[in-house]
Amino acid sequence: MIDLEKITIKKAHEALKRGDYTCVELSKRYLEEIKKKNKEINAYLEVFSDVLDQAREANKRFQAGTATMLTGIPFAIKDNILIKGRIASSASKILENYHAVYDATVIEKLKKEDAVFLGRTNMDEFAMGGSTENSAFGVTRNPHDMERVAGGSSGGSAAAVAMGGALVALGSDTGGSIRQPASFCGLVGFKPTYGRISRYGLMALGSSLDQIGPFAKTVSDTEIVYNAIKGMDKKDSTTISNNSEEKSKKLTIGIPRHFLSEGIHKDVIKNFNESIDKFKKMGYEVMDITLPNIPYSLAVYYIIMPSEASSNLARYDGMRYGLHKDGKDGIEDYFVTRGEGFGKEVRRRILLGTYVLSSGYYDAYYNRANAARRIITDDFYKAFEKVDIIMTPTTPTPAFKIGEKSSDPVSMYLEDIFTVTANLTGMPAISIPCGFSGKLPLGLQMTVRHGDEATLFKVGKEFLGE
Amino acid sequence: MITIKEVENLANLARIKIDEKEKKSLTKEIDSILTYIDQIKKATVHIDHTLVIGEVHNVFRDDVVGGCEDRDRILASAPDREGDFIAVKKIIEQ
């Protein structure tokens, strides 16, 4: 029996190499677990029917001696990342039967290594949300507590790994959509520097904010997946080259205490302080920092993201692909297709984006938000003159109950308060598991300078004792 | 306060059909969101209309013809099709 509790990519790779088990056996083991648990948890929208065929291909690589680190490693893929020939729906009715016509660059890279794709995972529709409750195909439950959300928007990917239904997963992070569900499900979740990973083949939400990233149980696995999918891509002109190098000097941690006073669950603060003490004991210097404009970050985010989303989602017209609903003429086709195809939160954000971009409000909202985005980023630059890592809790609360926040959009948006800054500034950030509130996992978020991923991995591994 | 008429106008601009009940709930929800995001009016900013995210630079490439993704698959994705064309409703009156 393969022990899914303690498995890592490296251990699996070595076991496959030694012949302790085959890629087919490894995938079968995950399929069994999915069969047992997915009905209730709803992490996967679809488990692919050809998983064992993929695993057999991977086996051949081991037999031929050409296997690489991710060969045969079972992945769960968020439903907004395209895999050629397979459905990619973004958990939306408007794309329910849409088959991808090409591979996302990250998928192409994983295919070259013959990684195994187990299935596509549930999410908030078009990645809009923090609880997976906005999926058109039902909520994803938290494997640690079935009454609670797995987080979102990449809730399905997080739950898939946390329930033992995948070794690792890919998600996307526009305002915390990898880090927040990772925190809720007790996993490592990572958003790289903007531009490190190609967005080609990722369905766009907020194009200046979106990044693909991995979910894993360990920082080491996160790093392996990141290294496999990163890099410049001609098909995404915002990709940048890698210049990250590990620094050996003593690292200083900065804490924006002024931002940690209101609306935070007491266990979250208690655990955060304990984590900081642990770093002190490990020899890190810790100091308080001020990020004067950080209180504006959530407001800035909820102007920029809907603006970009309302523009990006204009493409769903019911004519070129996706759902088509018939109206009395071409124009009415748009109205009924989009009215029926988009869910409530998506309609809300498109309207909000349309509002803040409309003439008369454009300067007061959109332009102002972009200018504020700049001063928030400057605050971080200034802080990074003194410190190397900025730490906050990943979320103000542990996983909340299903339905608890669904009637009040602002209280739901407030869940993103600590995570949106990394997307606004484009800086890399990671959430690592740091303890529990009862049976609910908590996450610690670390943000570093642009391109300094190596520091995140180094410090994360040290903290988790990897 | 955002009015129902404004919500109707936004839905019209965004080409989304919204029923009466949702128009009402949307005015309330959009209002609460606007109240929250209005705090950025207090931020001291210099609006210079430039935006730089992270270390992204301008990217140039040679203007050469590249390949095309599978044409048939792309056409097959269309809800309605006539031969190699995507079929839509007539928009010009004769």
Side-chain angles (χ1 to χ4, degrees):
Chain A
M1 190 77 151
I2 304 165
D3 181 4
L4 296 186
E5 275 293 306
K6 295 198 182 93
I7 198 166
T8 64
I9 292 175
K10 224 175 182 168
K11 277 187 200 161
H13 178 72
E14 277 156 16
L16 290 166
K17 223 162 137 182
R18 279 195 306 267
D20 295 354
Y21 45 79
T22 64
C23 300
V24 173
E25 285 165 325
L26 181 63
S27 286
K28 265 190 185 158
R29 183 71 189 83
Y30 280 103
L31 290 176
E32 277 167 28
E33 215 56 27
I34 294 168
K35 207 173 173 190
K36 259 190 273 172
K37 295 174 180 166
N38 194 56
K39 209 170 170 200
E40 189 175 14
I41 292 176
N42 197 29
Y44 284 96
L45 292 175
E46 179 188 355
V47 179
F48 298 137
S49 56
D50 65 340
V51 169
L52 297 182
D53 294 337
Q54 294 179 56
R56 272 187 278 274
E57 284 303 308
N59 258 348
K60 287 183 196 160
R61 295 273 297 261
F62 278 97
Q63 283 156 3
T66 58
T68 51
M69 191 55 95
L70 293 178
T71 306
I73 298 298
F75 272 73
I77 305 292
K78 189 175 182 180
D79 196 29
N80 61 353
I81 299 173
L82 306 190
I83 309 177
K84 190 172 181 171
R86 301 190 195 271
I87 289 178
S89 81
S90 246
S92 178
K93 290 268 179 219
I94 213 162
L95 291 174
E96 191 171 1
N97 298 306
Y98 171 71
H99 287 74
V101 291
Y102 61 93
D103 279 327
T105 298
V106 291
I107 294 298
E108 204 181 287
K109 285 175 187 261
L110 292 179
K111 276 187 175 174
K112 275 194 188 128
E113 296 206 43
D114 273 302
V116 172
F117 304 124
L118 294 170
R120 55 190 179 92
T121 56
N122 200 13
M123 56 186 280
D124 286 296
E125 184 179 359
F126 286 107
M128 296 185 192
S131 67
T132 320
E133 288 166 295
N134 296 330
S135 166
F137 309 109
V139 69
T140 296
R141 292 175 187 277
N142 191 316
H144 293 268
D145 180 347
M146 296 294 173
E147 305 278 292
R148 289 176 190 265
V149 301
S153 64
S154 315
S157 288
V161 176
M163 75 183 192
L167 211 169
V168 282
L170 293 187
S172 64
D173 190 314
T174 305
S177 282
I178 293 173
R179 289 160 287 152
Q180 185 252 28
S183 166
F184 282 5
C185 292
L187 302 173
V188 178
F190 171 55
K191 183 205 84 80
T193 307
Y194 182 78
R196 272 288 182 263
I197 295 177
S198 170
R199 289 178 293 118
Y200 182 70
L202 168 70
M203 291 184 200
L205 167 56
S207 305
S208 76
L209 306 156
D210 298 340
Q211 272 293 284
I212 292 172
F215 286 93
K217 283 186 172 164
T218 64
V219 175
S220 309
D221 282 359
T222 306
E223 188 177 11
I224 291 169
V225 175
Y226 165 67
N227 282 326
I229 61 177
K230 72 180 182 188
M232 299 267 281
D233 182 9
K234 267 193 220 157
K235 289 165 175 168
D236 174 359
S237 59
T238 61
T239 49
I240 46 178
S241 62
N242 189 9
N243 54 12
S244 187
E245 48 191 276
E246 207 164 302
K247 294 181 187 70
S248 56
K249 72 176 178 84
K250 195 179 164 200
L251 296 168
T252 305
I253 296 167
I255 301 171
R257 278 280 168 206
H258 67 101
F259 197 47
L260 302 177
S261 53
E262 278 172 74
I264 305 171
H265 191 283
K266 64 175 186 353
D267 288 355
V268 171
I269 277 291
K270 186 170 165 272
N271 177 276
F272 178 71
N273 290 333
E274 284 165 9
S275 303
I276 297 302
D277 285 343
K278 191 173 164 189
F279 276 109
K280 279 184 191 157
K281 278 187 200 129
M282 283 156 59
Y284 287 82
E285 198 179 317
V286 178
M287 62 186 280
D288 281 359
I289 53 162
T290 310
L291 299 163
N293 295 293
I294 201 176
Y296 296 119
S297 47
L298 196 65
V300 170
Y301 176 75
Y302 276 96
I303 294 168
I304 291 172
M305 178 272 301
S307 301
E308 295 186 5
S310 69
S311 313
N312 275 327
L313 271 67
R315 74 189 65 181
Y316 301 103
D317 56 10
M319 290 177 190
R320 290 167 301 163
Y321 53 90
L323 180 78
H324 173 86
K325 289 278 171 187
D326 229 23
K328 67 177 190 308
D329 53 25
I331 282 280
E332 211 189 62
D333 285 0
Y334 290 144
F335 279 89
V336 289
T337 300
R338 290 163 64 80
E340 287 183 40
F342 290 139
K344 199 165 188 272
E345 177 67 15
V346 176
R347 296 197 293 268
R348 184 155 59 209
R349 292 201 195 185
I350 291 175
L351 259 56
L352 185 64
T354 307
Y355 181 86
V356 296
L357 288 177
S358 58
S359 105
Y361 296 109
Y362 187 91
D363 271 318
Y365 289 112
Y366 185 68
N367 278 340
R368 208 173 170 78
N370 273 329
R373 182 178 188 174
R374 171 58 91 45
I375 58 172
I376 291 165
T377 308
D378 287 343
D379 284 354
F380 274 80
Y381 284 141
K382 256 180 235 151
F384 281 130
E385 285 169 12
K386 288 188 212 141
V387 301
D388 304 290
I389 314 152
I390 295 175
M391 289 193 192
T392 65
T394 308
T395 59
T397 66
F400 46 90
K401 288 209 165 125
I402 292 167
E404 190 182 323
K405 292 177 192 282
S406 48
S407 61
D408 180 2
V410 173
S411 84
M412 183 74 92
Y413 295 173
L414 282 167
E415 277 295 312
D416 303 338
I417 190 116
F418 297 130
T419 47
V420 292
T421 47
N423 304 81
L424 292 176
T425 63
M427 288 164 185
I430 198 166
S431 175
I432 54 175
C434 60
F436 289 86
S437 165
K439 59 179 171 179
L440 303 172
L442 300 171
L444 174 72
Q445 177 177 249
M446 309 193 284
T447 308
V448 293
R449 299 174 184 96
H450 289 130
D452 197 15
E453 276 84 1
T455 295
L456 282 185
F457 296 138
K458 177 176 174 279
V459 177
K461 280 187 246 180
E462 236 179 286
F463 183 77
L464 294 180
E466 287 176 30
Chain B
M1 281 294 277
I2 190 164
T3 61
I4 292 221
K5 220 174 154 202
E6 279 176 291
V7 170
E8 280 171 351
N9 185 36
L10 293 174
N12 194 35
L13 289 168
R15 304 282 187 266
I16 299 177
K17 191 177 177 184
I18 283 168
D19 65 29
E20 295 304 317
K21 202 178 137 210
E22 190 173 353
K23 281 178 200 166
K24 267 192 206 145
S25 63
L26 273 169
T27 55
K28 222 175 77 197
E29 289 156 9
I30 291 182
D31 254 335
S32 73
I33 298 166
L34 290 176
T35 309
Y36 183 81
I37 64 177
D38 265 348
Q39 60 175 291
I40 75 144
K41 291 179 178 163
K42 287 185 282 178
T44 314
V45 295
H46 170 63
I47 298 177
D48 63 0
H49 300 279
T50 60
L51 171 66
V52 180
I53 314 129
E55 27 171 58
V56 174
H57 308 287
N58 209 352
V59 175
F60 296 96
R61 62 170 172 78
D62 294 330
D63 187 18
V64 287
V65 177
C68 172
E69 298 295 340
D70 194 335
R71 193 160 164 265
D72 282 332
R73 269 178 192 270
I74 293 170
L75 282 165
S77 305
D80 196 10
R81 177 179 170 182
E82 273 179 41
D84 280 351
F85 296 94
I86 290 170
V88 295
K89 284 186 181 136
K90 198 180 340 184
I91 53 165
I92 301 168
E93 296 292 334
Q94 279 188 327

